[in-house]
Amino acid sequence: MKVNFKRVLILALAVLLQVGCQKQKTTFTESDIKIIPQPKELTLNQGSFIFDADTKFVVTSDTQLQAAHILIDRFKTAAGLELELTKEQPSSNFVILKDNSQLGAEAYTLVVGDDNIVIEASGLSGFVYGIETLRQLLPVAVEKNTVSADVSWEVPNVNIADAPRYKWRGLMLDVSRHFFEKDYVMKTIDRLSYLKMNTLHLHLVDDQGWRIEIKKYPKLTEVGAYRVDQEDKHWNARPRAKADEKGTYGGFYTQEDIKEIVAYAEKRGITVVPEIEMPAHVSSAVAAYPSLSCFETPISVPSGGLWPITDIYCAGKESTFEFLENVLVEVMDLFPSKYIHVGGDEATKTNWEKCPHCQKRIKAEGLENVEELQSYFIKRMERFISSKDRILIGWDEILEGGLAPGATVMSWRGVKGGLEASEQGHDVVMTPGSHCYFDHYQGPQDSEPAAWGGYTPLSKVYEFDPTVDGMSDEQAKHVLGGQANLWAEYIPDTDQSEYMIYPRIAALSETLWSPKEGRSWNKFTTRIIPMFDRFAAMGINYAQSVYTIREEAIVDENTGAVSVSLANEIENSDIRYVLNDGDLNTDAVTYDKPIQITETTTIKASYFENDKPLGAVFEKTFKYHKAVGKKVTYNTEVNDRYQGAGATTQVNVLRGTKNFHDGQWQAWLAKDMEVVIDLDEPTEVSKVSVGALENQGPGIYYPTMVEVWTSDDGQNFVSAGKTERAYAATGDATIKDFEVTFEKKSARYIKVKATNLKQTPTGGGVFLFVDEIIVE
């Protein structure tokens, strides 16, 4: 046989050129894998798979096709690749989806090799989650909505076997207080699926808006979906509109919108659970149909905060139940969800106590009181919902007066409701306000947008566990899972909604999906920070509050020196700071030990990444004055609940924040503050300032007057001056120094009185909060 050496040489060179043109594969390490939620089992192997224009997706069913399209569509948008679908398995360079009936409903396996990727699942959810995990293994650029050039679409070779810990992994969107369009709901569905969440709870009805078209009752949306526009005012400072004022602010979903949302969610493994509130939080329905209430008084749809909630459905009229059953029939036709949420919370029953219809019902049914009437109401609705092969779910108030036999409880007032319901053999979804209310602040209140209150940072969400201590094994079986709730009183737009949801929903997703063993906050931070880049690529307005600096300050009562410690939620953060007029960008020094302060000083600090400040800048001034560390005598006693840091609170340099639980505030309830400060020796003074907080929602009001007296002997006081401020309604939380200035004089004792408003406009007791008395 004659060998053509020239031809062999040409072929060899061609092969070498081809190999040289191939991109060199990456050597991956475990630290390169940043999947959230953390998979149940993951093994990293040698090698990788690279997607290119010739990669094919092998699918043999519509279910597999739906899941595959999530990634195929991403490649088209982010890489400009039109990846082919086929039913025939190629020899190499393919992703194949295979049915495996041995796997659980949401479980999947993912095996990545050099030549192919295999995803196995028993149904749509498992295939979707396998695809989403594969997506998170790809470069961040896959999340962008523009084509990225020069990206190697490479994933490491891994073996993953994954399944969820809990079967209810949810987020509630309140679309009643502020209405969010269909497109945003669909974006949220995509993002929930990305994080392997499986439930979207839509809060469709509340006092401030009815958001779903009911064809039998058109006024529910004609009237109930719109309120008088007072968006320029704080939520809790909006006056009630007259019954005949036309509402213009709001919106609703048509039944076609709902069908589209539900169908879209189904393709991504998401169940949409509707909530139709009853018997309270229904002013929007009563405004549309006054006959639904006890006394049929015409009302408007409230434009803002409403408390107490007295305009509720009449439990005595048969027409009320006829209305609700008709509404629920239309709702159940639209939502295939097994669960129908009926609310059931915060019903003020004063009208029931006076209503002849309700009293007649109580007597006829042999009920003891209005609490048992609420139980009758919920049990009756539960029987109707059960007759349609659905399950009633409600907030934990539905336990009051006795729980309906087939009901499921959503425990929000801590975990007590969940413990009680599970002990009675009922299923529960745990959603305690302490860990799952995303309308709470996630960073220091002074550096965050206005929120409802409370403090739920990312690290606290990560501590959440639906199965609580004290549950028996039998009770634990009734825990379906957990859910985050985003109430929207303070959420006027989608940007703010995203800010409150992300990244906290990622932390929740891991607590609900991943095995408890092996999880740790520090390990999670190494994955959530890279996830921020993905959120940014998706166009999500995520919060960076995890970077925000929090300080802890300690005062030496003997010397008056202040020791200030700085930290954020990330262990071993690169925190840098400057004092006074220093520039953070050019003058910052690394924080490695508490900062010692002995004179008036401003500290500015930030978390640094790649030598640049990131997140909100911490800035606080510690102001020294002539009363620091001096003895304070309290002529009126401080409230037991708000003792501050003790007897030196008013003269310890440390200032309070808008979070009145921060330990720096002292409070007086329905009485004036009066204290005397001993300066130790005659001292020249000309100004006294009293730092106060106002947050009228929880009953904290500014003083109406601050008065100052001076004395040489502590017995005989002479007036130095006063400042007055009239009461003004507001919904904002604010801090103000009330200053009293006077001609310079010598004094040893300073007496300060701050006059409490005593009573709110609605008759409740008023708190007066003071954090520091500054003597200059």
Side-chain angles (χ1 to χ4, degrees):
M1 179 180 176
K2 188 175 181 182
V3 178
N4 187 333
F5 288 102
K6 185 176 181 182
R7 180 178 172 82
V8 170
L9 182 61
I10 291 170
L11 287 171
L13 286 170
V15 169
L16 287 170
L17 283 169
Q18 185 177 1
V19 170
C21 289
Q22 289 178 351
K23 290 184 178 179
Q24 189 168 345
K25 287 194 173 186
T26 304
T27 301
F28 288 94
T29 65
E30 288 187 3
S31 63
D32 294 317
I33 298 174
K34 308 293 186 182
I35 301 166
I36 296 177
Q38 182 174 284
K40 189 175 182 180
E41 297 176 18
L42 186 150
T43 303
L44 175 65
N45 303 313
Q46 289 287 329
S48 63
F49 179 93
I50 298 177
F51 288 86
D52 59 30
D54 296 323
T55 303
K56 293 179 174 59
F57 275 76
V58 184
V59 298
T60 56
S61 69
D62 287 343
T63 297
Q64 295 174 2
L65 179 65
Q66 287 179 22
H69 258 299
I70 294 171
L71 197 51
I72 290 170
D73 293 346
R74 279 283 89 220
F75 272 117
K76 183 176 181 180
T77 301
L81 296 178
E82 297 269 3
L83 301 185
E84 184 182 336
L85 281 157
T86 180
K87 290 185 178 181
E88 300 298 325
Q89 181 177 318
S91 59
S92 63
N93 196 11
F94 63 89
V95 179
I96 186 169
L97 280 66
K98 292 183 175 181
D99 289 328
N100 184 341
S101 60
Q102 301 302 307
L103 293 173
E106 296 186 296
Y108 70 93
T109 62
L110 170 65
V111 178
V112 180
D114 288 338
D115 298 323
N116 61 71
I117 297 172
V118 180
I119 299 172
E120 294 189 7
S122 63
L124 175 65
S125 293
F127 285 122
V128 167
Y129 299 147
I131 287 289
E132 295 291 15
T133 295
L134 181 56
R135 178 176 167 183
Q136 288 192 31
L137 290 170
L138 282 159
V140 172
V142 77
E143 311 300 349
K144 293 183 178 179
N145 288 324
T146 55
V147 173
S148 296
D150 299 323
V151 174
S152 176
W153 302 106
E154 186 177 10
V155 294
N157 286 356
V158 291
N159 284 40
I160 293 175
D162 207 3
R165 184 178 175 210
Y166 292 101
K167 60 183 177 182
W168 187 299
R169 306 180 304 280
L171 168 70
M172 186 215 70
L173 275 186
D174 172 7
V175 295
S176 174
R177 271 55 175 269
H178 285 93
F179 178 65
F180 300 123
E181 298 289 348
K182 176 182 64 179
D183 288 350
Y184 178 67
V185 176
M186 290 180 167
K187 279 185 182 178
T188 303
I189 288 167
D190 282 335
R191 294 158 182 176
L192 289 177
S193 177
Y194 184 74
L195 295 167
K196 301 184 178 69
M197 302 291 277
N198 67 358
T199 304
L200 175 63
H201 169 180
L202 285 181
H203 186 75
L204 294 162
V205 174
D206 215 298
D207 295 298
Q208 294 83 7
W210 184 287
R211 304 300 181 203
I212 178 171
E213 178 189 22
I214 303 296
K215 293 187 182 296
K216 193 173 182 68
Y217 301 104
K219 286 186 179 180
L220 288 173
T221 46
E222 290 171 5
V223 175
Y226 298 92
R227 60 184 186 239
V228 173
D229 190 345
Q230 298 187 46
E231 293 301 301
D232 59 328
K233 300 180 180 67
H234 190 280
W235 181 261
N236 289 323
R238 298 175 183 179
R240 189 70 181 259
K242 295 177 182 177
D244 59 353
E245 282 189 77
K246 183 173 176 57
T248 58
Y249 182 89
F252 65 93
Y253 305 111
T254 67
Q255 294 202 357
E256 289 305 310
D257 288 335
I258 294 294
K259 289 175 184 176
E260 194 175 341
I261 288 169
V262 169
Y264 191 81
E266 283 180 342
K267 290 180 180 179
R268 281 151 182 78
I270 304 286
T271 298
V272 184
V273 175
E275 181 180 357
I276 306 297
E277 278 272 17
M278 60 185 80
H281 287 288
V282 293
S283 296
S284 54
V286 172
Y289 296 99
S291 62
L292 294 170
S293 64
C294 289
F295 302 113
E296 304 187 6
T297 305
I299 62 170
S300 62
V301 178
S303 294
L306 179 69
W307 192 261
I309 302 167
T310 56
D311 290 311
I312 68 178
Y313 290 139
C314 178
K317 297 176 185 175
E318 280 301 303
S319 56
T320 299
F321 295 98
E322 180 185 352
F323 165 81
L324 286 170
E325 289 177 5
N326 289 335
V327 167
L328 289 177
V329 164
E330 292 195 35
V331 168
M332 287 187 277
D333 284 345
L334 294 168
F335 293 91
S337 164
K338 180 168 67 170
Y339 293 92
I340 303 297
H341 206 300
V342 299
D345 62 314
E346 298 181 331
T348 302
K349 308 174 186 73
T350 51
N351 284 353
W352 285 5
E353 290 171 349
K354 297 177 287 185
C355 171
H357 304 289
C358 291
Q359 291 303 310
K360 182 179 179 181
R361 176 84 70 190
I362 288 172
K363 186 176 180 180
E365 297 292 336
L367 307 175
E368 288 290 326
N369 48 39
V370 290
E371 279 67 37
E372 288 196 6
L373 181 57
Q374 173 159 341
S375 178
Y376 164 85
F377 192 115
I378 296 298
K379 286 177 178 176
R380 181 164 172 175
M381 296 313 302
E382 192 274 334
R383 288 195 298 272
F384 175 75
I385 290 170
S386 293
S387 74
K388 304 296 182 183
D389 294 323
R390 306 296 183 93
I391 298 173
L392 178 146
I393 186 169
W395 304 109
D396 55 46
E397 282 94 334
I398 67 174
L399 284 158
E400 296 168 6
L403 188 57
T408 295
V409 170
M410 196 166 268
S411 185
W412 72 277
R413 294 179 298 179
V415 298
K416 182 181 177 184
L419 284 166
E420 185 180 336
S422 61
E423 190 173 27
Q424 295 176 21
H426 293 269
D427 286 345
V428 297
V429 176
M430 304 298 279
T431 178
S434 57
H435 293 77
C436 297
Y437 268 43
F438 286 6
D439 54 329
H440 290 179
Y441 288 95
Q442 56 192 311
Q445 191 166 330
D446 291 4
S447 63
E448 291 285 318
W452 182 256
Y455 180 50
T456 310
L458 186 66
S459 54
K460 190 169 185 179
V461 176
Y462 196 76
E463 294 170 0
F464 174 59
D465 194 328
T467 304
V468 299
D469 293 339
M471 279 186 171
S472 66
D473 291 343
E474 192 59 35
Q475 283 179 282
K477 292 177 184 175
H478 286 289
V479 179
L480 301 179
Q483 176 174 293
N485 298 320
L486 181 59
W487 301 103
E489 290 93 336
Y490 293 90
I491 313 293
D493 53 42
T494 57
D495 273 358
Q496 182 64 10
S497 180
E498 290 178 351
Y499 184 89
M500 302 303 276
I501 294 171
Y502 309 95
R504 288 187 286 190
I505 196 68
L508 189 75
S509 78
E510 184 148 307
T511 68
L512 297 176
W513 178 279
S514 305
K516 190 173 182 179
E517 306 77 23
R519 281 201 331 254
S520 80
W521 167 248
N522 288 339
K523 289 179 181 177
F524 178 72
T525 59
T526 67
R527 287 178 287 116
I528 192 61
I529 292 174
M531 181 61 74
F532 289 173
D533 292 335
R534 293 184 180 267
F535 288 161
M538 293 176 188
I540 295 174
N541 182 40
Y542 67 95
Q544 300 185 46
S545 310
V546 70
Y547 299 136
T548 304
I549 310 301
R550 300 145 172 86
E551 97 282 7
E552 184 176 330
I554 300 173
V555 178
D556 186 320
E557 294 184 10
N558 295 318
T559 65
V562 178
S563 177
V564 183
S565 300
L566 303 177
N568 61 19
E569 291 186 79
I570 304 168
E571 191 172 311
N572 300 320
S573 287
D574 181 5
I575 295 174
R576 305 181 195 181
Y577 72 96
V578 293
L579 303 180
N580 300 322
D581 296 327
D583 187 324
L584 264 177
N585 291 292
T586 57
D587 306 329
V589 296
T590 299
Y591 170 82
D592 55 8
K593 62 183 179 181
I595 304 164
Q596 304 300 314
I597 296 174
T598 56
E599 60 185 8
T600 297
T601 303
T602 298
I603 298 176
K604 287 181 283 189
S606 182
Y607 169 79
F608 273 69
E609 194 170 279
N610 299 321
D611 290 324
K612 292 182 180 179
L614 193 62
V617 172
F618 168 86
E619 183 170 350
K620 193 158 192 174
T621 298
F622 297 84
K623 187 171 185 176
Y624 276 75
H625 54 93
K626 295 181 178 182
V628 171
K630 305 304 182 184
K631 180 183 177 182
V632 180
T633 300
Y634 291 80
N635 292 345
T636 52
E637 291 184 6
V638 176
N639 184 267
D640 289 341
R641 291 167 58 194
Y642 302 103
Q643 296 277 329
T648 60
T649 298
Q650 298 303 321
V651 289
N652 69 357
V653 184
L654 308 182
R655 304 303 302 268
T657 67
K658 292 177 182 177
N659 174 14
F660 57 89
H661 296 292
D662 66 12
Q664 296 302 331
W665 293 101
Q666 291 185 322
W668 288 259
L669 178 59
K671 60 184 178 182
D672 302 334
M673 178 204 82
E674 186 175 299
V675 302
V676 176
I677 302 170
D678 183 353
L679 299 177
D680 290 337
E681 59 185 9
T683 305
E684 283 195 341
V685 294
S686 60
K687 180 179 174 183
V688 174
S689 304
V690 174
L693 169 71
E694 184 162 72
N695 188 350
Q696 294 182 5
I700 302 168
Y701 290 72
Y702 279 146
T704 56
M705 181 165 60
V706 172
E707 300 172 87
V708 176
W709 294 265
T710 60
S711 172
D712 294 326
D713 58 9
Q715 300 295 321
N716 300 296
F717 286 88
V718 177
S719 175
K722 65 181 179 180
T723 184
E724 297 182 71
R725 180 188 184 276
Y727 158 75
T730 179
D732 296 314
T734 54
I735 295 172
K736 176 181 172 64
D737 286 345
F738 289 81
E739 299 177 354
V740 177
T741 57
F742 43 89
E743 288 187 9
K744 188 178 290 185
K745 60 175 65 179
S746 176
R748 174 175 172 175
Y749 298 92
I750 307 291
K751 181 163 73 173
V752 182
K753 179 179 179 181
T755 302
N756 192 327
L757 183 64
K758 307 294 193 304
Q759 192 175 73
T760 69
T762 56
V766 164
F767 275 109
L768 171 66
F769 272 70
V770 178
D771 69 337
E772 186 86 357
I773 299 172
I774 301 167
V775 178
E776 299 175 87

